[in-house]
Amino acid sequence: MPIPRIIDNQRQLLLRTVQELAEVHDEISIATGYWDLPGTELILPSLARCKKIRLLIGREPLIPRHQLERPEPDFPDKDFFSDLERLTVNESLRTTASEIKRLITTGVLEVRVYKKTFFHAKSYIFGTYESAE
């Protein structure tokens, strides 16, 4: 599969690209400006065969935050709780949350939060440096 140069979610969908690349790689590293449960629910089935998933989460580009000199001590906990309170809970989201917990517990999913400064990257790296050689 040729890797698209630009994924704009109009001509080329990120979800479809992740699904296709996950079929041929067993490791993925994701850097994203924000994380949410419904988005994870969409890509999690595609990552089922991954032996290692690395997730680096930043913060949404809210202007007041972006201008803070020091990081907020309760980031991202407050954001996650706020987002989760607004969701309509259903069995599918419960299953996704349970699967995330299982992946973290087994060491497959490694989650880190970037708190130092503004970080709203979007990067999906499939495979490892060694697998590219």
Side-chain angles (χ1 to χ4, degrees), residues 5 10 14 18 20 29 39-40 54 56 63 65 70 98 107 115-118 120 122 130:
R5 293 180 66 152
Q10 291 176 8
L14 176 60
V18 168
E20 290 174 3
S29 298
T40 303
R54 292 172 204 84
L56 176 63
I63 299 302
R65 274 197 179 139
R70 286 189 277 164
S98 294
K115 294 184 176 188
K116 293 180 184 176
T117 59
F118 176 71
H120 198 68
K122 287 155 190 74
E130 292 78 25

Side-chain angles (χ1 to χ4, degrees), residues 8-133:
D8 60 6
N9 279 331
Q10 291 176 8
R11 291 170 294 186
Q12 182 66 36
L13 297 176
L14 176 60
L15 177 59
R16 186 67 199 133
T17 303
V18 168
Q19 291 168 334
E20 290 174 3
L21 290 172
E23 290 176 11
V24 294
H25 295 282
D26 61 3
E27 291 193 28
I28 182 172
S29 298
I30 300 171
T32 183
Y34 192 69
W35 171 90
D36 71 3
L37 194 57
T40 303
E41 181 180 27
L42 291 173
I43 68 166
L44 202 55
S46 300
L47 305 180
R49 65 181 295 279
C50 285
K51 294 177 185 171
K52 184 53 106 178
I53 304 166
R54 292 172 204 84
L55 177 60
L56 176 63
I57 303 168
R59 59 182 74 211
E60 288 186 281
L62 303 175
I63 299 302
R65 274 197 179 139
H66 168 140
Q67 296 171 346
L68 292 175
E69 289 184 29
R70 286 189 277 164
E72 300 161 289
D74 58 356
F75 173 79
D77 302 2
K78 197 180 220 180
D79 290 358
F80 290 162
F81 286 123
S82 174
D83 287 352
L84 291 171
E85 285 177 344
R86 285 184 275 161
L87 286 176
T88 302
V89 179
N90 58 42
E91 193 56 38
S92 181
L93 289 178
R94 281 190 186 95
T95 301
T96 299
S98 294
E99 180 62 6
I100 291 168
K101 180 181 178 184
R102 185 192 71 76
L103 291 170
I104 290 171
T105 302
T106 59
V108 172
L109 176 57
E110 197 176 289
V111 181
R112 298 188 187 234
V113 178
Y114 187 81
K115 294 184 176 188
K116 293 180 184 176
T117 59
F118 176 71
F119 177 82
H120 198 68
K122 287 155 190 74
S123 177
Y124 294 75
I125 301 170
F126 288 85
T128 62
Y129 182 75
E130 292 78 25
S131 67
E133 294 178 359

